[in-house]
Amino acid sequence: MGKFSQKIVAEYNPPRKWIMEEPLSYTTDLDETELRCLELVGVAVKGKTITVGKGFVTDLASVPRAAWAIIAPWDVARSAIIHDLLYKKIRQYRWSMKEHEKGEDKKLVKKAKVIADKVFHQGMKDADPKVPGWKIYCAWKAVDLFGRWSIIPSEDNI
């Protein structure tokens, strides 16, 4: 079972961005192999804690507006912010490996995505106030199925 450091402290920057005004941390129950995988793509992990720093820009959860009646971005926001950081680190790793002789480690990228999605799932389960199980499943399944496009790096998202 994991734990968040605090509530979100962020400033809204229209139309869909939030800028973190204070760090947000999540302590996971990932094993050492999973933590090492995240470190290999550039995630700074201290113990079992992942921290999103002040100034980090997030859209909370990338939920289409039409679906907000079912799952709104704020329903899963803290977990989504941590997940945004993990995906950003995967994109940055992939971008940095473009010029590398051997290229990116595709197995590492795939594993890091699975672990990032696991952290998202765990974070929603550990949220307070509680997130209903059906929302947790739907939000996790969305990133499981469609997140592969969110880890493709471009000049606009690294």
Side-chain angles (χ1 to χ4, degrees):
M1 190 156 198
K3 184 176 179 186
F4 288 97
S5 60
Q6 65 182 33
K7 302 287 184 190
I8 298 167
V9 181
E11 181 179 331
Y12 180 57
N13 188 348
R16 290 190 52 142
K17 300 293 181 194
W18 294 82
I19 301 171
M20 299 298 293
E21 291 188 339
E22 290 186 21
L24 175 68
S25 296
Y26 179 63
T27 302
T28 74
D29 60 2
L30 295 176
D31 65 34
E32 294 304 316
T33 304
E34 293 168 319
L35 293 168
R36 181 68 183 136
C37 179
L38 292 178
E39 289 173 334
L40 288 171
V41 296
V43 179
V45 180
K46 291 186 181 170
K48 291 189 169 207
T49 301
I50 300 164
T51 300
V52 173
K54 180 180 177 178
F56 184 77
V57 178
T58 179
D59 66 351
L60 300 181
S62 303
V63 179
R65 178 78 174 176
W68 283 14
I70 300 166
I71 301 175
W74 46 86
D75 289 341
V76 297
R78 282 189 288 176
S79 190
I81 292 168
I82 301 294
H83 190 251
D84 281 355
L85 172 72
L86 299 179
Y87 269 25
K88 181 174 185 140
K89 292 299 183 180
I90 294 169
R91 287 191 306 270
Q92 288 174 336
Y93 163 79
R94 295 182 79 188
W95 185 266
S96 72
M97 298 307 284
K98 283 173 54 171
E99 303 298 324
H100 194 272
E101 184 178 308
K102 294 181 182 178
E104 68 185 50
D105 181 338
K106 293 188 185 308
K107 286 182 182 178
L108 175 63
V109 169
K110 184 175 181 178
K111 186 173 179 184
K113 184 206 174 293
V114 168
I115 295 166
D117 295 350
K118 179 179 178 178
V119 170
F120 180 55
H121 188 264
Q122 286 178 342
M124 289 185 290
K125 289 172 80 174
D126 294 331
D128 182 27
K130 293 289 179 198
V131 178
W134 66 269
K135 283 188 182 188
I136 292 171
Y137 177 79
C138 291
W140 169 79
K141 196 61 181 172
V143 299
D144 178 50
L145 292 173
F146 305 112
R148 65 179 160 255
W149 290 286
S150 296
I151 61 169
I152 297 171
S154 70
E155 289 186 19
D156 297 333
N157 69 7
I158 56 167

